[in-house]
Amino acid sequence: MSVDNFLDNSRSSWMEGEGEHSDIVMSTRIRLARNLNGFRFPLAFTEDEAHKIDQSVSATLLDAADEALQMKFSSIQIKDVSELGRQVLVEKHLISPKLANSPNTGSVLLSEDESVSLMVNEEDHIRIQCLFPGLQIEEAYKRADNIDRLLEKELPYAFDEQFGYLTSCPTNTGTGLRASVMMHLPALTKTKQMNRIVTIISRLGMVVRGIYGEGSEALGNVYQVSNQTTLGKTEEDILADLQSITEQIIQKEREARDALLKHSPNTLEDRLYRSLGTLSYARLMTTEEAARCLSDVRLGIDIGLIQDVDMSILNECMVFMQPGFLQKYAGTTLNASERDMFRAKLLRERLQKGEKEKTKGEEPA
């Protein structure tokens, strides 16, 4: 597949709204950081070293993926992707901002369904990323581990018996594992419980970030919860801890939703439907307003107040409301006010199309 296929498609497999607790957990991500023995880290390597690493990793995965993994991958050189295209790949969670800003040495291997992206020469030589819908920590890890084992059979990893996998940043040394869940927590945010939860989570070796990871905001009440410790714990312990904490947050969010419904049902319903009306009819909309309205409509669907909107469409809207995808879709550079106008237009059209698709699907054969 060419890079245009990935850029033009606004929907990835993790957006399908399936998986356990998908009303709260939007996606699960597993990321493994690995480096090749005998090469300097990306912070210090030469372009020649980067090219050799890229060739070795790409050849190993592409040669074995069809048979061993039953998956097809496409290799994309970041330097061949426009600046806008790189922004779109970041917005779809397929590459990191770090890789997008390393066009001369970086590449990415993407599976056709976009559930797996293998970033080459990012902060480390290899970053294996698996994205699954809903809460599927074990399943996502198994996929990443299979790819990791396949590569390790052919490539000499930088590994130390005492410290584990060696990485560019010491905070990733050890297992090299970052496991995270992306959660929609509007009720906990609305009831002002998130600050306390973030403090408690940090004491347990976890960290809470925004929708695009470190340094990003919790746009639309969406938060990433991930492990902070990679050294001194086994992969099994890290995954079990994340599973336990996630389940506790889910329970707290459900309790907060029940409380909102019990104490102010009419006010809540009015707010949710006003947001749906804004998405359906507004002519100007900022990223922040779109995210807030999408969050409200998602909550309305989850608690059964809104019936006629497909959840996967909302996940898709969270991607294409972003500045990069908007401009890619428009086929031209847009200033802030033009983006606000085009964003509102796209959201109106996508919701209307979704309603027609849903009605058509419900018609008797």
Side-chain angles (χ1 to χ4, degrees), residues 323 326-343:
L326 280 178
Q327 295 174 96
K328 176 69 173 63
Y329 199 87
T332 186
T333 302
L334 302 172
N335 62 37
S337 60
E338 290 170 335
R339 289 198 300 270
D340 291 348
M341 185 182 298
F342 196 65
R343 180 181 296 109

Side-chain angles (χ1 to χ4, degrees), residues 76 78 86 90 94-109 118-124:
I76 298 168
I78 301 301
R86 298 198 295 271
V90 171
L94 299 180
I95 67 172
S96 66
K98 172 74 175 177
L99 188 65
N101 293 324
S102 307
N104 294 328
T105 57
S107 68
V108 62
L109 292 145
L118 198 147
M119 292 174 276
V120 182
N121 295 331
E122 192 231 31
E123 186 177 291
D124 293 291

Side-chain angles (χ1 to χ4, degrees), residues 107-365:
S107 68
V108 62
L109 292 145
L110 290 174
S111 65
E112 286 187 341
D113 67 353
E114 303 181 5
S115 66
V116 177
S117 62
L118 198 147
M119 292 174 276
V120 182
N121 295 331
E122 192 231 31
E123 186 177 291
D124 293 291
H125 297 152
I126 303 170
R127 288 282 178 95
I128 302 167
Q129 174 184 278
C130 293
L131 268 172
F132 278 38
L135 183 60
Q136 300 191 69
I137 295 174
E138 262 190 61
E139 295 83 349
Y141 176 73
K142 286 178 182 177
R143 175 74 57 81
D145 187 51
N146 286 339
I147 296 170
D148 186 37
R149 290 175 184 273
L150 185 152
L151 294 174
E152 195 166 16
K153 285 181 181 178
E154 304 295 331
L155 302 174
Y157 279 171
F159 183 84
D160 181 87
E161 289 296 333
Q162 181 179 358
F163 295 108
Y165 293 101
L166 303 181
T167 56
S168 179
C169 180
T171 59
N172 291 318
T173 296
T175 61
L177 168 64
R178 293 285 181 182
S180 65
V181 290
M182 188 158 67
M183 308 181 73
H184 180 229
L185 305 173
L188 287 174
T189 305
K190 177 72 174 174
T191 55
K192 304 187 185 304
Q193 298 183 61
M194 279 307 300
N195 287 340
R196 182 173 60 85
I197 288 174
V198 169
T199 300
I200 294 171
I201 287 175
S202 65
R203 292 172 183 164
L204 298 173
M206 298 284 168
V207 63
V208 180
R209 297 189 173 107
I211 188 170
Y212 290 104
E214 189 172 359
S216 63
E217 298 178 6
L219 198 64
N221 302 314
V222 176
Y223 302 82
Q224 273 193 26
V225 180
S226 64
N227 65 296
Q228 199 165 23
T229 303
T230 62
L231 183 64
K233 281 188 174 183
T234 65
E235 290 88 346
E236 291 77 14
D237 288 341
I238 291 171
L239 299 177
D241 288 347
L242 180 61
Q243 179 81 27
S244 174
I245 288 172
T246 301
E247 289 175 351
Q248 293 178 61
I249 295 173
I250 290 170
Q251 180 60 33
K252 291 294 184 185
E253 172 67 19
R254 294 203 196 286
E255 291 172 359
R257 292 182 182 189
D258 289 342
L260 287 175
L261 268 173
K262 180 179 179 181
H263 298 300
S264 52
N266 294 332
T267 301
L268 178 63
E269 185 173 6
D270 179 72
R271 191 189 88 206
L272 303 185
Y273 271 99
R274 282 178 184 272
S275 291
L276 179 58
T278 300
L279 291 171
S280 301
Y281 297 105
R283 263 46 187 176
L284 291 171
M285 192 171 296
T286 64
T287 301
E288 292 74 17
E289 183 182 20
R292 178 182 58 77
C293 290
L294 288 169
S295 173
D296 282 346
V297 174
R298 176 187 295 277
L299 177 59
I301 295 171
D302 290 338
I303 62 180
L305 290 177
I306 296 176
Q307 305 285 343
D308 53 355
V309 181
D310 191 291
M311 183 64 78
S312 63
I313 291 174
L314 296 187
N315 290 338
E316 186 181 355
C317 288
M318 283 294 292
V319 171
F320 74 57
M321 74 172 191
Q322 302 292 336
F325 196 90
L326 280 178
Q327 295 174 96
K328 176 69 173 63
Y329 199 87
T332 186
T333 302
L334 302 172
N335 62 37
S337 60
E338 290 170 335
R339 289 198 300 270
D340 291 348
M341 185 182 298
F342 196 65
R343 180 181 296 109
K345 179 177 181 291
L346 276 184
L347 289 170
R348 290 197 311 270
E349 290 176 350
R350 190 63 191 95
L351 286 174
Q352 290 168 5
K353 183 181 177 182
E355 289 175 5
K356 290 177 182 178
E357 291 172 350
K358 188 175 180 68
T359 300
K360 185 177 180 180
E362 291 173 352
E363 290 176 356

Side-chain angles (χ1 to χ4, degrees), residues 5-21:
N5 292 103
F6 296 105
L7 296 178
D8 293 339
N9 179 24
S10 60
R11 184 177 295 190
S12 301
S13 61
W14 68 265
M15 301 177 192
E16 294 305 317
E18 300 172 350
E20 191 176 6
H21 301 298

